[in-house]
Amino acid sequence: MNLVVALFLAQDGIANGVVYALLAVAIVLLFSVTRITFVPQGEFVSYGALTFVAMQDGQRPGTIPLLGLLIALHVVVDLAAGWRRQRAVALLSSALRAVAGPLIVLALAYLGSSFHLPLIAQAVLAIAVITAAGPLLYRLVYQPLADASVLVLLIVSVALHFVMTGLALYIFGPSGQRSAPLIDITFPVMGVPIAGQTLLIIGITVALIGALYFASQHTLYGKAMQAVALNRTGARLMGISTALAGRTSFLLAAFIGALAGVLISPTTTILYDTGFLLGLKGFVGAILGGLASYPVSALGAVLIGLLESYSSFFASTYKEVIVFSLIIPILLVQTLRQHRIEEDDHDSEAVPAQLNLSPEALRRRRRIKTGLGVAFVLAVAAMPAILSDYQVALLNYVGLAAIVVLGLVLLTGVAGLTSFAQAAYVGIGAYITGYVSSTYGVSPWLTLPLALAVACVLALLGSLITVRLSGHYLPLATLSLAIVAYYLFAGLPQTGGQAGMTDIPPLTVAGTAVHSPKAWYVGIWGALLLLQLGMSNLLDSRPGRAIRALKSGAIMAESLGVNTWAMKIAAFVIACLLAALAGWLYAHFQRFLNPSPFSFNQGIEYLFMAVIGGAGSIGGALVGSGIVVLANQWLQTNLPLILGMQGDFEIIIFGIAAMAMLQLLPRGIWPALLDLTGLRVPKSWTFSADAKLPPLRDKPVPGETVLAVRGVSKNFGAIAANRNISLDAKAGEVLALIGPNGAGKSTLFDLISGVQRPSSGNVHFLGRESSYFPRDLSRAGMGRTFQHVRIVPEMTVVENTALGAHARADTSFLAAALRLDRPKEAMLIAEALRQLERVGLHGAATTNAGSLALGQQRVLEIARALASDPCLLLLDEPAAGLRHLEKQALAQLLKQLKAEGMAVIIVEHDMDFVMNLADRIVVMQFGEKLAEGTPCEIQRNPAVIEAYLGGAE
Ligand code: ADP
Ligand code: MG
């Protein structure tokens, strides 16, 4: 490469990079205001460019009727909302006011496209049409989900990307377009001609970024928009409207996208699907800027452009692989710079209503459910006899998809980790067996363990990196994994590239090759049913409970001795193994492989299957795959006939279906069906009275110092939440920690239990310096409850309690899936029931924890802490929300625990309760220890009376 080539590549890279920078800036803007990870940002670019080109060709671009459709939908949705609130007239006028701007644009664009306007007027009109659509999109797609988690918003964005790409194909057709140049001048620099067009793009981009940066830092409105992002409730209370902020930021984002589209349309050929990759590269830049900084994101995006330009020179096939591989280390660095234990924001999912049924009715429902299950298995068995070969082959595809989605149920629905990469792992399984069995003639039965082993190693590698990532970074990393994998499948010589791999040997059973779809049906559906059974066993076991607890937050699970990192990796590996197994089956069933079934679009589709069927349930996996695969088949043949055009239009339907599901039935079809038919019945627990209890740990003798806190301080920025606190707790005593709200009591609990690390000073537990890891401390015998209750609401009371005993048994995943864990499981359940009995909650054992009253949930937390067999118990305001008699029972329990030799530290505001119970009291104020002594001494302490008790009397 000589200097001229290098300069050419640099110009190319900068010209592209600047466009990515524009997109990166829009993405940062949207994320910082709305928390939406806006994947389809690039679609605004292609829509803008193609609208512009269509106008130049003297056509009326399809985006104009589309804008009309969006306006109509907007009015309809607003009216429907008003109908429910009985304020239709007021809403009609407000809806019309909201669409007034877009209506004017629509009229102008309609008129404008009837005449032949000058180029610049066409550019303005094209940008205006797309810009007007931005706020409408926000209103229709995102505003109903304003309180959803970042993850749900991300899935919706991916769905919107599907819809927008499919529509673009319909509106603009499949061929690439270029527009006439806006500026037709070039300047030679060092022998390299620099296009005026490039300079124009750079100039506009720099100006725009500068303006946004200034607006966000220095204008009131810019600051208000940032405030909305940080705290929606707070902003709402301050009179800042989230909806308005959302619409404004979408207006800007659409404007930036369309502008970029018009600017690049003379230099780049734009296709209907060009936008996605453009947008994703903007994303990589935005992520470099931590989705927060405009200048850093823009700079990052320019670097991506340069990297892409130079890598296309050296390794053009792997250009995308190089760019998208970059995203993972970047995400990793971003995450590692964050807090130690990250609490993601989660949707507060509605806990399914609990049926209040008599035991007799329950038994009947269970019988009906079992009967339906048996009928289902019989129906599955009968299918080959009833259906044609073609229909059975279709069912085979349903079964294969269901195996993949079953993994996603565990990973996404249960563990809360969203993965777009499952199709890539299907591809890994398929290509490994395809390559090895066809090239080396190895029996597929031998390539199965090989394929699984490779998938396992790659899943471990993938998860070691991605599972560390928090929140929306994880799905973004899986999305780039999926893209990298796809380009590898399409580019590597071993896979046969786009042309594919043919002549994959068939599977042989007892010497005969299996060809017929019906024989395959037996294998695929047999495997599926067994896997479903195994998954259902796993979820109902010690490791299954731990995985189910992940969604309720890492701090809670770690404080119960669960290794959340290992659980996440396990979920990831299991999901990938299922995907690879499906791939292995697919390769030998299909006997031909090409990259498209393993593309990122297919990865997204698997996620949609889970969302549509019900991501949290095993039945949902099958329902979702059934609906999507069969609908896909039908739509792929019929939509092109209806629309009179070839193409993947079914993605429009699936995108809309996924968005509608998330808005209307967020838990999916299967759970809704269960609720509708009243067949959601709690599991019947069979308790044996003489079950063994798990072994007890050695306890310190009464009077021995269990906990020694020495001079700890904790600062949160400028707030000194704890200042130089020292205290001891001894076995067999109750120490009360009192003080006004904000005194720092809960912070001290967090320091003791390892949730936070002290800024200075240290904590000794059982004679050793604390590791400040909640899991280690819990396993060493420290149990705690939380001031703000942390339970797994959709798990039963007994399961929540058994979670506390997690560290007291060691069931493996395999043993759990094969039901070989029953003796240990009986032990854990027996222990959970014993503790529930102790706290008086055994009557509610099979109730969903989320449907308990708040006071009861606190008591449940105590039972859960006790199930870990602790020698130190930290209780943060346990009596809040309890009635008088319940408080007495709690006091009784604590006295009993003390008599058994446990050390108890209790934070409590009820002074009668504290004075009657505590052996010693520590009083805190403003983060400092104010006094320490027996209840009598404290009651007589002048400083305490002055500061605390005095105020109350
Ligand atoms: P208490 O439990 O006695 O009511 P806390 O320990 O909850 O008090 O809070 C003590 C002080 O520390 C309060 O001013 C609170 O706002 C602040 N604080 C607690 N946790 C955090 C945190 N994670 N970040 C910032 N400030 C915090
Ligand atoms: Mg507190």
PDB file of all heavy atoms in Angstrom, residues 693-704:
ATOM      1  N   LEU A 693     -32.915 -33.530  57.337  1.00  0.00           N
ATOM      2  CA  LEU A 693     -32.615 -32.119  57.151  1.00  0.00           C
ATOM      3  C   LEU A 693     -31.162 -31.982  56.734  1.00  0.00           C
ATOM      4  O   LEU A 693     -30.346 -32.852  57.037  1.00  0.00           O
ATOM      5  CB  LEU A 693     -32.861 -31.359  58.463  1.00  0.00           C
ATOM      6  CG  LEU A 693     -34.326 -31.293  58.886  1.00  0.00           C
ATOM      7  CD1 LEU A 693     -34.457 -30.600  60.219  1.00  0.00           C
ATOM      8  CD2 LEU A 693     -35.160 -30.587  57.834  1.00  0.00           C
ATOM      9  N   PRO A 694     -30.846 -30.918  56.015  1.00  0.00           N
ATOM     10  CA  PRO A 694     -29.447 -30.751  55.606  1.00  0.00           C
ATOM     11  C   PRO A 694     -28.549 -30.578  56.831  1.00  0.00           C
ATOM     12  O   PRO A 694     -29.012 -30.115  57.881  1.00  0.00           O
ATOM     13  CB  PRO A 694     -29.465 -29.486  54.748  1.00  0.00           C
ATOM     14  CG  PRO A 694     -30.821 -28.943  54.791  1.00  0.00           C
ATOM     15  CD  PRO A 694     -31.708 -29.842  55.552  1.00  0.00           C
ATOM     16  N   PRO A 695     -27.270 -30.926  56.705  1.00  0.00           N
ATOM     17  CA  PRO A 695     -26.362 -30.848  57.856  1.00  0.00           C
ATOM     18  C   PRO A 695     -26.221 -29.416  58.368  1.00  0.00           C
ATOM     19  O   PRO A 695     -26.334 -28.468  57.600  1.00  0.00           O
ATOM     20  CB  PRO A 695     -25.035 -31.360  57.302  1.00  0.00           C
ATOM     21  CG  PRO A 695     -25.151 -31.243  55.819  1.00  0.00           C
ATOM     22  CD  PRO A 695     -26.591 -31.416  55.507  1.00  0.00           C
ATOM     23  N   LEU A 696     -25.982 -29.283  59.660  1.00  0.00           N
ATOM     24  CA  LEU A 696     -25.829 -27.955  60.261  1.00  0.00           C
ATOM     25  C   LEU A 696     -24.354 -27.599  60.349  1.00  0.00           C
ATOM     26  O   LEU A 696     -23.487 -28.465  60.413  1.00  0.00           O
ATOM     27  CB  LEU A 696     -26.427 -27.951  61.671  1.00  0.00           C
ATOM     28  CG  LEU A 696     -27.925 -28.228  61.734  1.00  0.00           C
ATOM     29  CD1 LEU A 696     -28.368 -28.406  63.176  1.00  0.00           C
ATOM     30  CD2 LEU A 696     -28.695 -27.106  61.074  1.00  0.00           C
ATOM     31  N   ARG A 697     -24.087 -26.303  60.339  1.00  0.00           N
ATOM     32  CA  ARG A 697     -22.682 -25.893  60.460  1.00  0.00           C
ATOM     33  C   ARG A 697     -22.279 -25.813  61.927  1.00  0.00           C
ATOM     34  O   ARG A 697     -23.140 -25.749  62.814  1.00  0.00           O
ATOM     35  CB  ARG A 697     -22.464 -24.552  59.760  1.00  0.00           C
ATOM     36  CG  ARG A 697     -23.030 -23.362  60.501  1.00  0.00           C
ATOM     37  CD  ARG A 697     -22.696 -22.047  59.802  1.00  0.00           C
ATOM     38  NE  ARG A 697     -23.647 -21.740  58.743  1.00  0.00           N
ATOM     39  CZ  ARG A 697     -23.308 -21.633  57.469  1.00  0.00           C
ATOM     40  NH1 ARG A 697     -22.059 -21.794  57.107  1.00  0.00           N
ATOM     41  NH2 ARG A 697     -24.215 -21.347  56.557  1.00  0.00           N
ATOM     42  N   ASP A 698     -20.966 -25.811  62.197  1.00  0.00           N
ATOM     43  CA  ASP A 698     -20.483 -25.599  63.556  1.00  0.00           C
ATOM     44  C   ASP A 698     -20.737 -24.152  63.942  1.00  0.00           C
ATOM     45  O   ASP A 698     -20.435 -23.255  63.175  1.00  0.00           O
ATOM     46  CB  ASP A 698     -18.981 -25.891  63.644  1.00  0.00           C
ATOM     47  CG  ASP A 698     -18.704 -27.367  63.445  1.00  0.00           C
ATOM     48  OD1 ASP A 698     -19.607 -28.174  63.761  1.00  0.00           O
ATOM     49  OD2 ASP A 698     -17.610 -27.708  62.950  1.00  0.00           O
ATOM     50  N   LYS A 699     -21.272 -23.958  65.137  1.00  0.00           N
ATOM     51  CA  LYS A 699     -21.637 -22.599  65.532  1.00  0.00           C
ATOM     52  C   LYS A 699     -20.670 -22.084  66.590  1.00  0.00           C
ATOM     53  O   LYS A 699     -20.139 -22.863  67.379  1.00  0.00           O
ATOM     54  CB  LYS A 699     -23.056 -22.592  66.119  1.00  0.00           C
ATOM     55  CG  LYS A 699     -24.133 -23.053  65.178  1.00  0.00           C
ATOM     56  CD  LYS A 699     -24.555 -21.931  64.284  1.00  0.00           C
ATOM     57  CE  LYS A 699     -25.497 -22.354  63.189  1.00  0.00           C
ATOM     58  NZ  LYS A 699     -26.245 -23.554  63.349  1.00  0.00           N
ATOM     59  N   PRO A 700     -20.443 -20.779  66.611  1.00  0.00           N
ATOM     60  CA  PRO A 700     -19.647 -20.213  67.704  1.00  0.00           C
ATOM     61  C   PRO A 700     -20.391 -20.393  69.032  1.00  0.00           C
ATOM     62  O   PRO A 700     -21.629 -20.466  69.040  1.00  0.00           O
ATOM     63  CB  PRO A 700     -19.530 -18.736  67.326  1.00  0.00           C
ATOM     64  CG  PRO A 700     -20.565 -18.484  66.306  1.00  0.00           C
ATOM     65  CD  PRO A 700     -20.923 -19.777  65.665  1.00  0.00           C
ATOM     66  N   VAL A 701     -19.658 -20.485  70.138  1.00  0.00           N
ATOM     67  CA  VAL A 701     -20.326 -20.651  71.435  1.00  0.00           C
ATOM     68  C   VAL A 701     -20.894 -19.314  71.878  1.00  0.00           C
ATOM     69  O   VAL A 701     -20.352 -18.259  71.528  1.00  0.00           O
ATOM     70  CB  VAL A 701     -19.345 -21.187  72.507  1.00  0.00           C
ATOM     71  CG1 VAL A 701     -18.949 -22.609  72.192  1.00  0.00           C
ATOM     72  CG2 VAL A 701     -18.131 -20.294  72.626  1.00  0.00           C
ATOM     73  N   PRO A 702     -21.996 -19.327  72.632  1.00  0.00           N
ATOM     74  CA  PRO A 702     -22.599 -18.073  73.086  1.00  0.00           C
ATOM     75  C   PRO A 702     -21.568 -17.195  73.790  1.00  0.00           C
ATOM     76  O   PRO A 702     -20.751 -17.679  74.557  1.00  0.00           O
ATOM     77  CB  PRO A 702     -23.689 -18.532  74.047  1.00  0.00           C
ATOM     78  CG  PRO A 702     -24.070 -19.877  73.549  1.00  0.00           C
ATOM     79  CD  PRO A 702     -22.810 -20.485  73.025  1.00  0.00           C
ATOM     80  N   GLY A 703     -21.612 -15.912  73.454  1.00  0.00           N
ATOM     81  CA  GLY A 703     -20.662 -14.974  74.041  1.00  0.00           C
ATOM     82  C   GLY A 703     -19.452 -14.719  73.163  1.00  0.00           C
ATOM     83  O   GLY A 703     -18.770 -13.703  73.318  1.00  0.00           O
ATOM     84  N   GLU A 704     -19.210 -15.615  72.227  1.00  0.00           N
ATOM     85  CA  GLU A 704     -18.061 -15.427  71.335  1.00  0.00           C
ATOM     86  C   GLU A 704     -18.363 -14.284  70.354  1.00  0.00           C
ATOM     87  O   GLU A 704     -19.491 -14.149  69.886  1.00  0.00           O
ATOM     88  CB  GLU A 704     -17.840 -16.738  70.561  1.00  0.00           C
ATOM     89  CG  GLU A 704     -16.504 -16.852  69.879  1.00  0.00           C
ATOM     90  CD  GLU A 704     -16.376 -18.203  69.160  1.00  0.00           C
ATOM     91  OE1 GLU A 704     -16.868 -19.216  69.696  1.00  0.00           O
ATOM     92  OE2 GLU A 704     -15.796 -18.216  68.056  1.00  0.00           O
TER      93      GLU A 704
END
